[in-house]
Amino acid sequence: MDHGFLMEVCVDSVESAVNAERGGAGRIELCAGLVEGGTTPSMGLLQVVKQCVRVPVFVMIRPRGGDFLYSDREVEVMKADIRLAKLHGADGLVFGALTEDGRIDTELCTALLGENIPATVCRPLPVTFHRAFDMVHDPQVALETLISLGFERVLTSGCDSSALEGLSLIKKLAEQAKGRIVVVPGFFPPGGGITERNLQRILEGSAASEFHCSARSARDSGMKFR
């Protein structure tokens, strides 16, 4: 936060969460399956991460990789995961759902946000609509839908291959939002790597106060026997 913006880092292990906090992350998005774009993490992982870091931990609620069109049974899994994440100390939640024609699934989002039935769903935790937003039919209509539903944030690379490519749309969305929702530019591999130059361009070009990234690297196994 020293630079006037908040960095959210997507991680899938305790070690990565600790490193992200050390590296200046102001918030962690915790998930499993980074290769699939992130799925719901185990509650054991959430518990241990919460013991090891002080920054807020937002938990991904996504029952599988692939698209964002969910069956009734998958929705039940999402509801159960939300209840458990709240129980184990999640500071916020991250999810998204679309209809088959590429619009925000307002019925499902309303059921998960559950303003009227707080015992079963998200509230009072803040909720981010994740990168399913980049698959919508009409981003500006979708943004108004998210605002009306009560999402606090939306994560996007401007419906393009990277936040730099989608910068003009990110800027339009931020102007449209007028503070009603936080538009968070996201750096997603492949092609989404952050450099000092492109980060500066995106933050200045979009007037964003937060950004999202995942910092991945492979590590050799310590196994001596195979």
Side-chain angles (χ1 to χ4, degrees):
M1 290 296 285
D2 298 342
H3 305 287
F5 57 80
L6 181 141
M7 173 172 67
E8 176 183 82
V9 179
C10 182
V11 304
D12 63 356
S13 71
V14 180
E15 188 178 19
S16 296
V18 170
N19 288 340
E21 184 178 47
R22 279 190 193 137
R27 186 170 62 238
I28 283 165
E29 182 189 274
L30 187 65
C31 65
L34 271 177
V35 175
E36 293 182 296
T39 53
T40 307
S42 78
M43 293 303 110
L45 177 59
L46 172 58
Q47 275 189 296
V48 179
V49 165
K50 284 292 295 178
Q51 290 163 10
C52 294
V53 301
R54 292 183 181 179
V55 296
V57 178
F58 281 23
V59 175
M60 173 73 79
I61 303 295
R62 188 178 175 215
R64 57 166 171 78
D67 64 25
F68 305 101
L69 181 66
Y70 297 114
S71 69
D72 290 346
R73 285 178 176 167
E74 286 171 331
V75 173
E76 290 309 307
V77 172
M78 293 168 84
K79 286 180 179 176
D81 282 332
I82 287 167
R83 285 194 291 272
L84 289 167
K86 286 171 73 176
L87 190 65
H88 292 296
D91 299 293
L93 300 161
V94 182
F95 68 80
L98 304 177
T99 60
E100 61 185 13
D101 59 349
R103 296 170 208 283
I104 306 294
D105 189 334
T106 53
E107 190 178 336
L108 171 50
C109 290
T110 300
L112 295 182
L113 287 165
E115 304 289 350
N116 302 320
I117 34 173
T120 59
V121 273
C122 298
R123 297 311 187 191
L125 297 184
V127 187
T128 301
F129 193 92
H130 62 42
R131 210 185 163 206
F133 185 83
D134 285 342
M135 311 287 243
V136 297
H137 176 69
D138 186 326
Q140 289 171 294
V141 169
L143 188 72
E144 291 301 324
T145 303
L146 296 184
I147 291 165
S148 68
L149 287 167
F151 282 89
E152 278 80 7
R153 290 174 181 81
V154 57
L155 183 57
T156 181
S157 61
C159 301
D160 216 317
S161 54
S162 75
L164 201 55
E165 301 292 323
L167 183 56
S168 63
L169 179 58
I170 293 171
K171 186 178 180 184
K172 269 185 205 162
L173 293 169
E175 287 168 355
Q176 179 186 340
K178 292 186 178 130
R180 295 174 295 160
I181 189 171
V182 181
V183 177
V184 184
F187 294 79
F188 311 98
I194 296 183
T195 65
E196 201 170 332
R197 282 181 65 187
N198 68 19
L199 176 59
Q200 196 68 27
R201 277 183 64 189
I202 288 159
L203 290 173
E204 286 176 2
S206 64
S209 58
E210 304 183 8
F211 74 96
H212 172 102
C213 64
S214 64
R216 284 194 222 163
S217 64
R219 190 172 69 177
D220 291 335
S221 169
M223 286 290 295
K224 291 187 168 59
F225 176 81
R226 301 242 174 176

